[in-house]
Amino acid sequence: MTQGHSRRGFIYFGGCAAASFLVPRLAEAGTYLSFAKSLAANPPAGSRYRPDLETELFGLANGYRAQKGKGPLTASQDFLIPARAHAADMMLHNFIGHRASTGQDFDSRMRAFVGDITKYPSMAENAAHDTLGGPADQAKGQRLFQQWVNSPGHAKTLRSLDYFFVSTGVIERQGNIWAVQIFWGKPRAKGLYGTWGLQGG
């Protein structure tokens, strides 16, 4: 099962965002930031993060882009914590999507880490899981990735020229895996609304 979400400028799938929507709610952002950092640092009991499968999915993404005549993405740690945290959140609460169990949507989750999200004019996320049994090996990672390739929206994100960087998070429990890839383009030096908000990740 897969879910995808993307943003370019102020245009969102499902509607348009007004400027007031972009003003961060600092208490909410701070609460989610603590929640996400804790999940990323301490995987839930019986689970573990899988750097090997994270590398596998990154390689598959660039392999797919090469097949489509697109340039490679650069692997980055910048959004590794939010990618891993969201994968763990989906595992813990048995869902696939872009709204955290704590209520934050994709933009709110990213804003908790970077503050002024307008520094990132292009961002997207693909999410999926594979719970079909068998070992959590390279073949399972490839099968999960194929879900994204088979979905027009996710495949479009994978081959988009808007994105230059990707962070990948994968968590495993009892042979099942949950994965998140966060994509973004070249950030602006400064956001459109100054330097308010939380910074760092």
Side-chain angles (χ1 to χ4, degrees):
M1 184 176 180
T2 64
Q3 284 284 324
H5 177 93
S6 67
R7 64 183 298 275
R8 290 190 65 187
F10 300 106
I11 306 301
Y12 296 75
F13 290 127
C16 297
S20 60
F21 179 81
L22 294 172
V23 176
R25 292 168 288 185
L26 295 182
E28 175 185 309
T31 299
Y32 179 75
L33 185 66
S34 297
F35 169 75
K37 284 185 171 182
S38 178
L39 267 184
N42 304 288
S47 68
R48 58 178 177 144
Y49 293 111
R50 291 290 301 270
D52 58 327
L53 293 181
E54 292 167 355
T55 299
E56 174 71 14
L57 292 180
F58 166 68
L60 290 169
N62 273 342
Y64 178 72
R65 287 174 68 92
Q67 290 174 14
K68 301 300 179 180
K70 314 300 182 183
L73 298 165
T74 298
S76 173
Q77 300 264 324
D78 288 1
F79 289 93
L80 177 62
I81 290 175
R84 284 183 169 179
H86 194 60
D89 192 15
M90 293 191 301
M91 178 195 72
L92 274 174
H93 296 95
N94 193 31
F95 74 95
I96 296 295
H98 306 286
R99 185 176 295 276
S101 64
T102 50
Q104 288 80 8
D105 62 13
F106 176 66
D107 292 333
S108 297
R109 288 166 38 224
M110 297 303 99
R111 189 166 58 226
F113 282 87
V114 302
D116 188 350
I117 200 172
T118 66
K119 290 190 295 185
Y120 296 85
S122 299
M123 294 192 79
E125 176 179 77
N126 282 349
H129 70 166
D130 186 304
T131 57
L132 296 179
D137 56 8
Q138 184 181 44
K140 177 163 283 195
Q142 292 170 352
R143 189 168 66 199
L144 181 145
F145 184 79
Q146 195 61 39
Q147 294 181 48
W148 290 332
V149 172
N150 291 343
S151 166
H154 297 86
K156 182 178 179 180
T157 295
L158 284 166
R159 64 177 181 267
S160 175
L161 295 178
D162 292 331
Y163 309 125
F164 294 88
F165 307 96
V166 63
S167 290
T168 304
V170 179
I171 194 166
E172 174 210 343
R173 184 176 63 188
Q174 297 177 347
N176 300 315
I177 59 172
W178 290 256
V180 170
Q181 287 194 315
I182 298 173
F183 306 84
W184 66 100
K186 294 179 180 178
R188 300 183 175 103
K190 186 169 72 171
L192 301 179
Y193 293 93
T195 58
W196 42 252
L198 297 172
Q199 302 294 323

PDB file of all heavy atoms in Angstrom, residues 71-96:
ATOM      1  N   GLY A  71      18.268  12.954 -14.222  1.00  0.00           N
ATOM      2  CA  GLY A  71      19.492  12.974 -13.446  1.00  0.00           C
ATOM      3  C   GLY A  71      19.295  12.354 -12.076  1.00  0.00           C
ATOM      4  O   GLY A  71      18.165  12.222 -11.593  1.00  0.00           O
ATOM      5  N   PRO A  72      20.397  11.971 -11.421  1.00  0.00           N
ATOM      6  CA  PRO A  72      20.291  11.301 -10.122  1.00  0.00           C
ATOM      7  C   PRO A  72      19.946  12.260  -8.991  1.00  0.00           C
ATOM      8  O   PRO A  72      20.244  13.456  -9.041  1.00  0.00           O
ATOM      9  CB  PRO A  72      21.688  10.710  -9.927  1.00  0.00           C
ATOM     10  CG  PRO A  72      22.590  11.644 -10.678  1.00  0.00           C
ATOM     11  CD  PRO A  72      21.791  12.075 -11.887  1.00  0.00           C
ATOM     12  N   LEU A  73      19.324  11.695  -7.969  1.00  0.00           N
ATOM     13  CA  LEU A  73      19.124  12.397  -6.712  1.00  0.00           C
ATOM     14  C   LEU A  73      20.379  12.240  -5.857  1.00  0.00           C
ATOM     15  O   LEU A  73      21.153  11.294  -6.029  1.00  0.00           O
ATOM     16  CB  LEU A  73      17.932  11.803  -5.959  1.00  0.00           C
ATOM     17  CG  LEU A  73      16.571  11.891  -6.640  1.00  0.00           C
ATOM     18  CD1 LEU A  73      15.582  10.955  -5.946  1.00  0.00           C
ATOM     19  CD2 LEU A  73      16.063  13.319  -6.636  1.00  0.00           C
ATOM     20  N   THR A  74      20.560  13.149  -4.912  1.00  0.00           N
ATOM     21  CA  THR A  74      21.628  13.047  -3.933  1.00  0.00           C
ATOM     22  C   THR A  74      21.037  12.578  -2.616  1.00  0.00           C
ATOM     23  O   THR A  74      20.067  13.162  -2.125  1.00  0.00           O
ATOM     24  CB  THR A  74      22.319  14.405  -3.729  1.00  0.00           C
ATOM     25  OG1 THR A  74      22.914  14.817  -4.963  1.00  0.00           O
ATOM     26  CG2 THR A  74      23.386  14.333  -2.652  1.00  0.00           C
ATOM     27  N   ALA A  75      21.593  11.519  -2.055  1.00  0.00           N
ATOM     28  CA  ALA A  75      21.150  11.051  -0.744  1.00  0.00           C
ATOM     29  C   ALA A  75      21.569  12.067   0.316  1.00  0.00           C
ATOM     30  O   ALA A  75      22.692  12.573   0.300  1.00  0.00           O
ATOM     31  CB  ALA A  75      21.751   9.687  -0.434  1.00  0.00           C
ATOM     32  N   SER A  76      20.653  12.363   1.220  1.00  0.00           N
ATOM     33  CA  SER A  76      20.917  13.371   2.246  1.00  0.00           C
ATOM     34  C   SER A  76      20.391  12.892   3.592  1.00  0.00           C
ATOM     35  O   SER A  76      19.386  12.188   3.673  1.00  0.00           O
ATOM     36  CB  SER A  76      20.243  14.694   1.874  1.00  0.00           C
ATOM     37  OG  SER A  76      20.352  15.626   2.929  1.00  0.00           O
ATOM     38  N   GLN A  77      21.078  13.296   4.646  1.00  0.00           N
ATOM     39  CA  GLN A  77      20.629  13.010   6.013  1.00  0.00           C
ATOM     40  C   GLN A  77      19.699  14.103   6.534  1.00  0.00           C
ATOM     41  O   GLN A  77      19.170  13.977   7.646  1.00  0.00           O
ATOM     42  CB  GLN A  77      21.856  12.929   6.932  1.00  0.00           C
ATOM     43  CG  GLN A  77      22.864  11.853   6.556  1.00  0.00           C
ATOM     44  CD  GLN A  77      22.665  10.566   7.325  1.00  0.00           C
ATOM     45  OE1 GLN A  77      22.305  10.583   8.482  1.00  0.00           O
ATOM     46  NE2 GLN A  77      22.895   9.443   6.675  1.00  0.00           N
ATOM     47  N   ASP A  78      19.484  15.160   5.761  1.00  0.00           N
ATOM     48  CA  ASP A  78      18.781  16.329   6.275  1.00  0.00           C
ATOM     49  C   ASP A  78      17.386  16.005   6.800  1.00  0.00           C
ATOM     50  O   ASP A  78      16.930  16.584   7.794  1.00  0.00           O
ATOM     51  CB  ASP A  78      18.678  17.413   5.201  1.00  0.00           C
ATOM     52  CG  ASP A  78      20.000  18.095   4.927  1.00  0.00           C
ATOM     53  OD1 ASP A  78      21.013  17.712   5.553  1.00  0.00           O
ATOM     54  OD2 ASP A  78      20.030  19.009   4.079  1.00  0.00           O
ATOM     55  N   PHE A  79      16.687  15.108   6.130  1.00  0.00           N
ATOM     56  CA  PHE A  79      15.334  14.742   6.550  1.00  0.00           C
ATOM     57  C   PHE A  79      15.246  13.271   6.948  1.00  0.00           C
ATOM     58  O   PHE A  79      14.164  12.671   6.909  1.00  0.00           O
ATOM     59  CB  PHE A  79      14.322  15.074   5.445  1.00  0.00           C
ATOM     60  CG  PHE A  79      14.093  16.548   5.277  1.00  0.00           C
ATOM     61  CD1 PHE A  79      14.832  17.280   4.355  1.00  0.00           C
ATOM     62  CD2 PHE A  79      13.168  17.216   6.064  1.00  0.00           C
ATOM     63  CE1 PHE A  79      14.633  18.641   4.208  1.00  0.00           C
ATOM     64  CE2 PHE A  79      12.965  18.581   5.931  1.00  0.00           C
ATOM     65  CZ  PHE A  79      13.697  19.300   4.995  1.00  0.00           C
ATOM     66  N   LEU A  80      16.384  12.695   7.360  1.00  0.00           N
ATOM     67  CA  LEU A  80      16.387  11.306   7.794  1.00  0.00           C
ATOM     68  C   LEU A  80      15.539  11.112   9.043  1.00  0.00           C
ATOM     69  O   LEU A  80      14.766  10.141   9.146  1.00  0.00           O
ATOM     70  CB  LEU A  80      17.820  10.833   8.055  1.00  0.00           C
ATOM     71  CG  LEU A  80      17.965   9.404   8.597  1.00  0.00           C
ATOM     72  CD1 LEU A  80      17.419   8.384   7.595  1.00  0.00           C
ATOM     73  CD2 LEU A  80      19.422   9.102   8.938  1.00  0.00           C
ATOM     74  N   ILE A  81      15.658  12.021  10.004  1.00  0.00           N
ATOM     75  CA  ILE A  81      14.880  11.887  11.237  1.00  0.00           C
ATOM     76  C   ILE A  81      13.380  11.934  10.943  1.00  0.00           C
ATOM     77  O   ILE A  81      12.642  11.048  11.392  1.00  0.00           O
ATOM     78  CB  ILE A  81      15.297  12.947  12.276  1.00  0.00           C
ATOM     79  CG1 ILE A  81      16.705  12.627  12.806  1.00  0.00           C
ATOM     80  CG2 ILE A  81      14.308  13.011  13.435  1.00  0.00           C
ATOM     81  CD1 ILE A  81      17.264  13.679  13.740  1.00  0.00           C
ATOM     82  N   PRO A  82      12.877  12.926  10.204  1.00  0.00           N
ATOM     83  CA  PRO A  82      11.435  12.897   9.917  1.00  0.00           C
ATOM     84  C   PRO A  82      11.001  11.699   9.075  1.00  0.00           C
ATOM     85  O   PRO A  82       9.889  11.193   9.246  1.00  0.00           O
ATOM     86  CB  PRO A  82      11.164  14.218   9.193  1.00  0.00           C
ATOM     87  CG  PRO A  82      12.492  14.779   8.832  1.00  0.00           C
ATOM     88  CD  PRO A  82      13.478  14.203   9.781  1.00  0.00           C
ATOM     89  N   ALA A  83      11.867  11.216   8.176  1.00  0.00           N
ATOM     90  CA  ALA A  83      11.502  10.047   7.371  1.00  0.00           C
ATOM     91  C   ALA A  83      11.400   8.805   8.253  1.00  0.00           C
ATOM     92  O   ALA A  83      10.423   8.047   8.165  1.00  0.00           O
ATOM     93  CB  ALA A  83      12.527   9.838   6.258  1.00  0.00           C
ATOM     94  N   ARG A  84      12.391   8.575   9.090  1.00  0.00           N
ATOM     95  CA  ARG A  84      12.342   7.417   9.975  1.00  0.00           C
ATOM     96  C   ARG A  84      11.198   7.532  10.980  1.00  0.00           C
ATOM     97  O   ARG A  84      10.501   6.546  11.259  1.00  0.00           O
ATOM     98  CB  ARG A  84      13.672   7.271  10.707  1.00  0.00           C
ATOM     99  CG  ARG A  84      14.790   6.705   9.852  1.00  0.00           C
ATOM    100  CD  ARG A  84      16.071   6.510  10.659  1.00  0.00           C
ATOM    101  NE  ARG A  84      17.057   5.736   9.902  1.00  0.00           N
ATOM    102  CZ  ARG A  84      18.267   5.443  10.362  1.00  0.00           C
ATOM    103  NH1 ARG A  84      18.632   5.849  11.573  1.00  0.00           N
ATOM    104  NH2 ARG A  84      19.107   4.727   9.619  1.00  0.00           N
ATOM    105  N   ALA A  85      11.015   8.719  11.525  1.00  0.00           N
ATOM    106  CA  ALA A  85       9.961   8.898  12.523  1.00  0.00           C
ATOM    107  C   ALA A  85       8.587   8.619  11.937  1.00  0.00           C
ATOM    108  O   ALA A  85       7.741   7.981  12.577  1.00  0.00           O
ATOM    109  CB  ALA A  85      10.019  10.311  13.094  1.00  0.00           C
ATOM    110  N   HIS A  86       8.353   9.068  10.705  1.00  0.00           N
ATOM    111  CA  HIS A  86       7.038   8.844  10.122  1.00  0.00           C
ATOM    112  C   HIS A  86       6.843   7.372   9.770  1.00  0.00           C
ATOM    113  O   HIS A  86       5.734   6.827   9.921  1.00  0.00           O
ATOM    114  CB  HIS A  86       6.825   9.730   8.904  1.00  0.00           C
ATOM    115  CG  HIS A  86       5.397   9.775   8.474  1.00  0.00           C
ATOM    116  ND1 HIS A  86       4.389  10.234   9.301  1.00  0.00           N
ATOM    117  CD2 HIS A  86       4.790   9.398   7.312  1.00  0.00           C
ATOM    118  CE1 HIS A  86       3.222  10.143   8.674  1.00  0.00           C
ATOM    119  NE2 HIS A  86       3.446   9.630   7.471  1.00  0.00           N
ATOM    120  N   ALA A  87       7.901   6.706   9.322  1.00  0.00           N
ATOM    121  CA  ALA A  87       7.807   5.269   9.068  1.00  0.00           C
ATOM    122  C   ALA A  87       7.442   4.529  10.353  1.00  0.00           C
ATOM    123  O   ALA A  87       6.573   3.641  10.357  1.00  0.00           O
ATOM    124  CB  ALA A  87       9.123   4.745   8.495  1.00  0.00           C
ATOM    125  N   ALA A  88       8.079   4.898  11.460  1.00  0.00           N
ATOM    126  CA  ALA A  88       7.784   4.263  12.746  1.00  0.00           C
ATOM    127  C   ALA A  88       6.373   4.586  13.222  1.00  0.00           C
ATOM    128  O   ALA A  88       5.675   3.722  13.774  1.00  0.00           O
ATOM    129  CB  ALA A  88       8.806   4.701  13.789  1.00  0.00           C
ATOM    130  N   ASP A  89       5.937   5.812  13.005  1.00  0.00           N
ATOM    131  CA  ASP A  89       4.581   6.221  13.385  1.00  0.00           C
ATOM    132  C   ASP A  89       3.546   5.395  12.621  1.00  0.00           C
ATOM    133  O   ASP A  89       2.563   4.907  13.199  1.00  0.00           O
ATOM    134  CB  ASP A  89       4.412   7.713  13.083  1.00  0.00           C
ATOM    135  CG  ASP A  89       3.167   8.314  13.704  1.00  0.00           C
ATOM    136  OD1 ASP A  89       2.564   7.694  14.597  1.00  0.00           O
ATOM    137  OD2 ASP A  89       2.803   9.434  13.286  1.00  0.00           O
ATOM    138  N   MET A  90       3.768   5.208  11.316  1.00  0.00           N
ATOM    139  CA  MET A  90       2.847   4.392  10.522  1.00  0.00           C
ATOM    140  C   MET A  90       2.821   2.954  11.032  1.00  0.00           C
ATOM    141  O   MET A  90       1.748   2.332  11.115  1.00  0.00           O
ATOM    142  CB  MET A  90       3.244   4.434   9.040  1.00  0.00           C
ATOM    143  CG  MET A  90       3.074   5.783   8.380  1.00  0.00           C
ATOM    144  SD  MET A  90       3.243   5.721   6.579  1.00  0.00           S
ATOM    145  CE  MET A  90       4.910   5.077   6.383  1.00  0.00           C
ATOM    146  N   MET A  91       3.981   2.415  11.371  1.00  0.00           N
ATOM    147  CA  MET A  91       4.049   1.053  11.878  1.00  0.00           C
ATOM    148  C   MET A  91       3.281   0.931  13.198  1.00  0.00           C
ATOM    149  O   MET A  91       2.454   0.026  13.375  1.00  0.00           O
ATOM    150  CB  MET A  91       5.508   0.651  12.087  1.00  0.00           C
ATOM    151  CG  MET A  91       5.702  -0.744  12.660  1.00  0.00           C
ATOM    152  SD  MET A  91       7.385  -1.024  13.285  1.00  0.00           S
ATOM    153  CE  MET A  91       7.341  -0.016  14.774  1.00  0.00           C
ATOM    154  N   LEU A  92       3.535   1.851  14.118  1.00  0.00           N
ATOM    155  CA  LEU A  92       2.928   1.785  15.439  1.00  0.00           C
ATOM    156  C   LEU A  92       1.412   1.905  15.396  1.00  0.00           C
ATOM    157  O   LEU A  92       0.698   1.263  16.171  1.00  0.00           O
ATOM    158  CB  LEU A  92       3.486   2.904  16.321  1.00  0.00           C
ATOM    159  CG  LEU A  92       4.781   2.642  17.074  1.00  0.00           C
ATOM    160  CD1 LEU A  92       5.235   3.903  17.774  1.00  0.00           C
ATOM    161  CD2 LEU A  92       4.598   1.509  18.087  1.00  0.00           C
ATOM    162  N   HIS A  93       0.916   2.737  14.491  1.00  0.00           N
ATOM    163  CA  HIS A  93      -0.514   3.059  14.478  1.00  0.00           C
ATOM    164  C   HIS A  93      -1.241   2.483  13.273  1.00  0.00           C
ATOM    165  O   HIS A  93      -2.384   2.853  13.003  1.00  0.00           O
ATOM    166  CB  HIS A  93      -0.697   4.580  14.574  1.00  0.00           C
ATOM    167  CG  HIS A  93      -0.197   5.140  15.875  1.00  0.00           C
ATOM    168  ND1 HIS A  93       1.077   5.661  16.016  1.00  0.00           N
ATOM    169  CD2 HIS A  93      -0.775   5.218  17.094  1.00  0.00           C
ATOM    170  CE1 HIS A  93       1.250   6.057  17.274  1.00  0.00           C
ATOM    171  NE2 HIS A  93       0.139   5.797  17.940  1.00  0.00           N
ATOM    172  N   ASN A  94      -0.566   1.585  12.549  1.00  0.00           N
ATOM    173  CA  ASN A  94      -1.216   0.795  11.502  1.00  0.00           C
ATOM    174  C   ASN A  94      -1.923   1.655  10.456  1.00  0.00           C
ATOM    175  O   ASN A  94      -3.128   1.514  10.209  1.00  0.00           O
ATOM    176  CB  ASN A  94      -2.215  -0.189  12.132  1.00  0.00           C
ATOM    177  CG  ASN A  94      -2.677  -1.242  11.137  1.00  0.00           C
ATOM    178  OD1 ASN A  94      -1.935  -1.628  10.229  1.00  0.00           O
ATOM    179  ND2 ASN A  94      -3.900  -1.712  11.299  1.00  0.00           N
ATOM    180  N   PHE A  95      -1.176   2.556   9.829  1.00  0.00           N
ATOM    181  CA  PHE A  95      -1.729   3.370   8.741  1.00  0.00           C
ATOM    182  C   PHE A  95      -0.649   3.638   7.715  1.00  0.00           C
ATOM    183  O   PHE A  95       0.538   3.505   7.986  1.00  0.00           O
ATOM    184  CB  PHE A  95      -2.308   4.689   9.271  1.00  0.00           C
ATOM    185  CG  PHE A  95      -1.263   5.709   9.677  1.00  0.00           C
ATOM    186  CD1 PHE A  95      -0.846   6.701   8.788  1.00  0.00           C
ATOM    187  CD2 PHE A  95      -0.706   5.697  10.945  1.00  0.00           C
ATOM    188  CE1 PHE A  95       0.111   7.649   9.158  1.00  0.00           C
ATOM    189  CE2 PHE A  95       0.243   6.633  11.329  1.00  0.00           C
ATOM    190  CZ  PHE A  95       0.650   7.609  10.426  1.00  0.00           C
ATOM    191  N   ILE A  96      -1.076   4.025   6.527  1.00  0.00           N
ATOM    192  CA  ILE A  96      -0.177   4.539   5.497  1.00  0.00           C
ATOM    193  C   ILE A  96      -0.748   5.873   5.048  1.00  0.00           C
ATOM    194  O   ILE A  96      -1.911   5.954   4.627  1.00  0.00           O
ATOM    195  CB  ILE A  96      -0.075   3.587   4.288  1.00  0.00           C
ATOM    196  CG1 ILE A  96       0.548   2.254   4.706  1.00  0.00           C
ATOM    197  CG2 ILE A  96       0.766   4.214   3.172  1.00  0.00           C
ATOM    198  CD1 ILE A  96       1.978   2.326   5.157  1.00  0.00           C
TER     199      ILE A  96
END
